Amino acid sequence: AGDGDCGHTHARAARAIQEWVRARPPPAAPAQLLSALADLLLEKMGGSSGVLYGLFLTAAARPLLNHNDLPTWADAMDAGIEAMQRYGGAAPGDRTMLDSLCAAAQALHALRSPGADLLPVLATAVQSAEAAAEATRHMEAGAGRASYISSAQLLQPDPGAVAVAAVLRAVLEELR
């Protein structure tokens, strides 16, 4: 869908992250880690996805400057989504990566509850993101590159939404 480069763009980003991690230890502080990833993706990922991930990570880093507790991670997700929506112009239901991100964010709001347990909450967020990505299969594209294509030709889930769900799944698996 769109210009057909989503997989290549994400593969380029993954290779850049792997090279970066091999070359130097990533920052331990969450805000600095997200900021460094934003810079890396803006430089190496390319395409509109690189810009959107860069915006997301830059905004998500801000709440984490002073706190690193679980509720702040939910705040960081919300801040990243808000930045993407503001600068990208898309909204949930537009058949974009925001569909998966917003579904995950809703589940991550549970991190604000006292006694929240990260891994089960994150597992639910990943499942929500995957379901939202699959649901894009039946949506009309309201934004992004796919909005330039006839909906009759959009037979697969949105690749950006699928990629977001895959990234979140990888984070969960690494934390487990």
Side-chain angles (χ1 to χ4, degrees), residues 95 137 139-141 146-156:
R95 195 180 200 277
R137 177 188 304 267
M139 291 179 181
E140 186 84 22
S147 65
Y148 307 137
I149 298 173
S150 164
S151 60
Q153 293 178 309
L154 297 174
L155 305 175
Q156 299 298 318

Side-chain angles (χ1 to χ4, degrees), residues 59-134:
R62 287 187 197 111
L64 294 165
L65 283 170
N66 298 317
H67 296 91
N68 184 21
D69 57 2
L70 292 181
T72 305
W73 279 98
D75 296 343
M77 185 77 155
D78 289 345
I81 288 169
E82 181 184 325
M84 285 180 86
Q85 288 181 294
R86 184 177 41 231
Y87 294 109
D94 281 342
R95 195 180 200 277
T96 69
M97 65 172 65
L98 275 172
D99 292 297
S100 290
L101 279 172
C102 289
Q106 281 297 115
L108 290 176
H109 288 172
L111 293 175
R112 295 182 178 126
S113 300
D117 189 0
L118 176 62
L119 290 181
V121 171
L122 186 53
T124 300
V126 168
Q127 291 169 350
S128 296
E130 290 170 342
E134 180 57 34

